[in-house]
Amino acid sequence: MSNSQFYSKKVMEHFLKPRNYGRIENADAVGKVGDPSCGDVMWLYLKIKEKNGKYVIEEAKFETFGCAAAIASSSVATEIIKGKTIEEALKVSNKDILKELGGLPLVKVHCSLLAEDAIREAIYNFMRKKGLQIPEELEKRHEKIKARLDKTLEMHKKLGYVTGEN
Amino acid sequence: MRIKVNGAEKIYFDYNATTPTDPRVAKVMMEYFTENFGNPSSIHSIGKRAREAVENARLEVMKLMHARESDGKLIFTSGATEANNIILKGLAMKAWKEEKNHLIISSIEHSCIMNSAKWLEKQGFKVTYLRVDKYGIVDLEQLENSITKKTFLVSIMHANNEIGTIEPIREASKICHDNNVLFHTDAAQSFGKIKVDVNELGVDFLTVSAHKMYGPKGIGALWIREGISIEPLIHGGGHEYGIRSGTENVPGIIGFGYACKLRMKEMHEEEKRLTLFRDHIIKTVTETIPESYLNGHPVKRLPNNVNIRFNFIEGEALVLLLDEMYGIQVSSGSACASHKPEPSHVLMAIGLRPEEAVGSIRISMGKWTTEEDVEYLLEVLPKAVKRLRDISPFKGKWEV
Ligand SMILES: Cc1ncc(COP(=O)(O)O)c(C=O)c1O
Ligand code: FES
């Protein structure tokens, strides 16, 4: 993995041609995350279908305000989780994202964590809606993510920024 | 100006970062690497020939700052960073002996002044950071009120490197002199772009750099008014009036001198031409791209500098997109945004929130910027901004 201060070819490719960006209307799940240290935010939308008693991610799209690494991480994350069951998707970590991107500069590693958070949070949102049993770990994770998002959005609200659905 | 990088054509819009060396300057320098290689301190003919060239160059640089020989001395340094370090720390060393311990700088200085001041603070000096208004213009009333008997120096930059704002140096230096305090200005960005006259500005010390005005990198100078002494930081053979020892960077000095000579003749034409481009870009972008705003002063600004903030997107992403998709080379509000997500202290000082500051880019032009380059920029910039806004979850703005 490269620790160069520059972005890899793969990062640039995903940044310039992000896969699956935009919004899913009537999404089955939305994961909203933010990083208060840099102000970046990521919205992850999922379409989830039930197949043989399993919940499978059929479609994933994102909207991201942030740096090139955040946009590339979002793009890669949507590709990785498409077709996975929610159990499988919960196991996807930022290491998988970094691997797919060919690494990120050290100061940009947190951008890939934001994408990991977004996956967790979208699935949490889905399980909540469906009334499924939420693992304790995911519940705890949600609380942390929520607190960080609130803090980030507080910054943007001071500017008067709004997202489409507010 | 179009340049090939790995086969891709790039258009340079980052002249405030550095300029290409004028080919005429590079040509003049060549001889001083090979033929005219002497050490200016040697007393033989080859050494004397180099000395003559160095002293001629010194006069050329002084001419561009309208300094007569009787007005003061010019000390060549490795650049503006070194010149600024010498003046802050060199004077601090002297001040300490005179029981003075207070330095005043503006809050939008270049990092070399900023970090020198912070280092002095750590050594026990007191530093006042002057407020600026929303355009980046320093608060002169605060300056007047901050001066004490312990103040040894006030340093306010002539023109800001990020937002291009030109500071009221004449007024500031007058306030200092009325209060018996020395005054320094960092003119790295203004020198060679607009008129810099040490007597008109009323400064005691002036910093300049060659690579911002079509000279080579690694050479700059500090001008010191006659009758004022400072403590040297680099000791050795006593070069440069004993203030900066070390064998002179002869090719660099020659290049700097020749660049100044060319600027003397060509600067004013260029100033007029670039001002038109500048105002055209500012007007077109802020009128046609929604939620875009000018950073800095509309007219009290460098002729070649545009700095614009776009809401809902991030500057680093915009810089990379402009480069990779359209070949346009600009920089984001913060000098090293690609390394750390820290908003620029200059944009914060003019009152932007961190999230606003990160959405800013600097577009800076120069000698080889053509009308065609400007039109191309204006054609693709809205596309790049729109693309990132399409990706962003932020779509609108409340009135706040
Ligand atoms: C205002 C200002 N001061 C100082 C410097 C540093 O100049 P140099 O690169 O010559 O050390 C720069 C350029 O980066 C500048 O813009
Ligand atoms: S800089 Fe924070 S997500 Fe990229």
Side-chain angles (χ1 to χ4, degrees):
Chain A
M1 204 172 288
S2 111
N3 280 335
S4 143
Q5 65 180 63
F6 297 110
Y7 291 133
S8 71
K9 260 206 174 116
K10 205 67 191 285
V11 173
M12 287 311 292
E13 205 225 337
H14 274 275
F15 164 60
L16 293 172
K17 291 190 200 117
R19 330 290 196 254
N20 310 312
Y21 75 84
R23 175 174 306 175
I24 300 179
E25 301 301 337
N26 309 316
D28 298 310
V30 186
K32 297 185 176 186
V33 297
D35 186 328
S37 72
C38 58
D40 291 3
V41 303
M42 202 179 278
W43 279 193
L44 179 64
Y45 302 86
L46 303 180
K47 269 266 178 236
I48 298 174
K49 282 265 153 63
E50 200 176 343
K51 264 187 203 158
N52 314 324
K54 295 234 183 246
Y55 291 109
V56 178
I57 299 170
E58 289 229 309
E59 206 186 334
K61 283 193 168 186
F62 76 90
E63 289 179 313
T64 293
F65 163 90
C67 66
I71 291 170
S73 297
S74 320
S75 168
V76 159
T78 58
E79 282 200 323
I80 293 179
I81 60 174
K82 242 195 217 179
K84 283 196 163 46
T85 65
I86 57 174
E87 288 79 15
E88 287 165 346
L90 274 178
K91 289 196 194 112
V92 173
S93 81
N94 81 310
K95 290 209 178 64
D96 302 306
I97 294 165
L98 285 174
K99 201 167 144 206
E100 193 56 36
L101 287 174
L104 279 174
L106 272 182
V107 289
K108 293 289 179 179
V109 169
H110 76 275
C111 315
S112 65
L113 269 168
L114 204 55
E116 179 189 308
D117 277 351
I119 300 171
R120 299 286 187 285
E121 188 63 4
I123 293 173
Y124 173 87
N125 177 259
F126 179 75
M127 294 175 115
R128 225 8 223 281
K129 272 193 202 163
K130 287 274 171 201
L132 301 176
Q133 174 78 32
I134 295 171
E136 196 186 337
E137 205 182 319
L138 190 60
E139 187 75 60
K140 276 198 194 135
R141 181 82 178 248
H142 160 74
E143 273 158 31
K144 270 195 208 147
I145 291 174
K146 177 85 170 50
R148 279 160 58 78
L149 175 68
D150 287 347
K151 217 168 144 191
T152 315
L153 285 184
E154 202 48 49
M155 294 161 50
H156 290 289
K157 278 202 186 118
K158 282 189 192 139
L159 297 179
Y161 285 13
V162 290
T163 54
E165 76 228 65
N166 294 24
Chain B
M1 175 176 212
R2 311 209 168 197
I3 292 157
K4 284 253 161 86
V5 180
N6 298 329
E9 190 172 72
K10 303 291 181 185
I11 305 173
Y12 196 65
F13 273 103
D14 203 11
Y15 281 80
N16 284 150
T18 193
T19 62
T21 301
D22 190 310
R24 292 169 295 176
V25 170
K27 195 165 163 227
V28 167
M29 288 171 69
M30 277 318 288
E31 179 195 331
Y32 291 85
F33 288 103
T34 50
E35 184 94 1
N36 200 344
F37 60 87
N39 186 328
S41 299
S42 305
I43 58 170
H44 48 58
S45 304
I46 289 182
K48 273 196 289 194
R49 188 170 62 169
R51 168 62 57 202
E52 250 166 50
V54 164
E55 295 315 313
N56 268 333
R58 200 184 304 278
L59 291 179
E60 292 294 351
V61 178
M62 284 167 73
K63 230 188 247 170
L64 189 59
M65 51 178 77
H66 301 270
R68 291 164 303 221
E69 279 185 84
S70 57
D71 288 332
K73 309 189 257 296
L74 187 87
I75 283 125
F76 284 115
T77 64
S78 65
T81 300
E82 186 187 334
N84 287 338
N85 270 266
I86 292 179
I87 195 60
L88 260 62
K89 296 174 187 171
L91 270 186
M93 285 311 241
K94 202 177 137 210
W96 177 70
K97 284 187 267 177
E98 295 165 359
E99 303 202 336
K100 290 185 178 181
N101 66 351
H102 180 222
L103 168 69
I104 301 176
I105 67 170
S106 85
S107 49
I108 59 168
E109 295 299 313
H110 187 270
S111 54
C112 56
I113 294 267
M114 221 44 171
N115 291 335
S116 294
K118 284 189 184 142
W119 181 81
L120 285 171
E121 245 175 347
K122 265 200 239 154
Q123 313 309 315
F125 286 86
K126 299 223 162 13
V127 181
T128 301
Y129 300 87
L130 297 176
R131 277 190 300 270
V132 296
D133 67 10
K134 65 176 177 175
Y135 298 118
I137 292 185
V138 75
D139 186 335
L140 292 175
E141 220 175 282
Q142 193 196 2
L143 168 62
E144 184 140 30
N145 295 333
S146 305
I147 295 175
T148 71
K149 288 206 159 42
K150 300 247 176 191
T151 309
F152 67 88
L153 179 71
V154 174
S155 177
I156 299 171
M157 68 201 320
H158 190 196
N160 182 268
N161 47 304
E162 286 184 36
I163 56 174
T165 301
I166 297 171
E167 300 294 338
I169 296 304
R170 215 163 31 182
E171 292 77 1
S173 71
K174 181 166 188 317
I175 291 171
C176 292
H177 293 153
D178 288 349
N179 290 282
N180 285 320
V181 174
L182 295 172
F183 186 84
H184 165 253
T185 193
D186 173 1
Q189 286 292 347
S190 55
F191 194 56
K193 295 194 189 87
I194 57 173
K195 188 178 183 196
V196 172
D197 179 328
V198 289
N199 294 314
E200 231 173 72
L201 294 173
V203 299
D204 300 302
F205 314 103
L206 184 102
T207 289
V208 293
S209 180
H211 75 97
K212 309 281 187 190
M213 42 163 289
Y214 316 112
K217 292 170 183 57
I219 185 78
L222 173 67
W223 180 81
I224 303 178
R225 191 171 284 284
E226 194 54 41
I228 307 174
S229 68
I230 67 171
E231 280 296 319
L233 303 178
I234 309 280
H235 298 91
H239 306 75
E240 299 296 303
Y241 306 97
I243 291 173
R244 203 267 191 182
S245 285
T247 302
E248 295 87 344
N249 170 3
V250 178
I253 289 171
I254 303 306
F256 193 8
Y258 195 61
C260 288
K261 191 172 177 168
L262 294 175
R263 289 280 82 195
M264 199 76 182
K265 281 186 273 177
E266 298 170 4
M267 185 172 89
H268 295 292
E269 259 329 287
E270 185 178 302
E271 188 182 340
K272 277 188 230 150
R273 193 176 73 93
L274 295 183
T275 302
L276 291 178
F277 285 169
R278 178 194 77 188
D279 293 344
H280 178 52
I281 295 174
I282 293 173
K283 187 165 187 295
T284 310
V285 172
T286 56
E287 281 179 5
T288 60
I289 302 183
E291 292 285 334
S292 61
Y293 305 92
L294 178 69
N295 290 320
H297 199 281
V299 291
K300 288 181 194 161
R301 75 185 300 137
L302 288 173
N304 76 328
N305 170 290
V306 176
N307 190 309
I308 292 183
R309 162 168 68 94
F310 299 97
N311 280 343
F312 318 133
I313 59 172
E314 213 249 351
E316 186 230 57
L318 185 55
V319 169
L320 282 170
L321 194 66
L322 283 171
D323 180 3
E324 295 291 329
M325 294 260 276
Y326 305 107
I328 288 183
Q329 317 285 293
V330 297
S331 66
S332 51
S334 49
C336 34
S338 53
H339 312 309
K340 48 179 179 188
E342 253 175 38
S344 122
H345 70 283
V346 176
L347 298 177
M348 303 288 280
I350 62 172
L352 298 191
R353 292 178 181 281
E355 310 77 61
E356 289 177 304
V358 297
S360 299
I361 62 165
R362 177 183 72 187
I363 300 161
S364 52
M365 301 166 287
K367 195 175 175 56
W368 291 283
T369 306
T370 64
E371 196 174 339
E372 196 189 349
D373 294 343
V374 171
E375 290 310 323
Y376 176 69
L377 169 81
L378 289 174
E379 180 200 324
V380 302
L381 186 57
K383 293 183 195 165
V385 171
K386 181 176 183 307
R387 186 177 171 85
L388 290 174
R389 283 183 176 168
D390 283 348
I391 298 175
S392 170
F394 297 124
K395 303 293 183 202
K397 199 167 180 195
W398 278 316
E399 286 306 317
V400 280

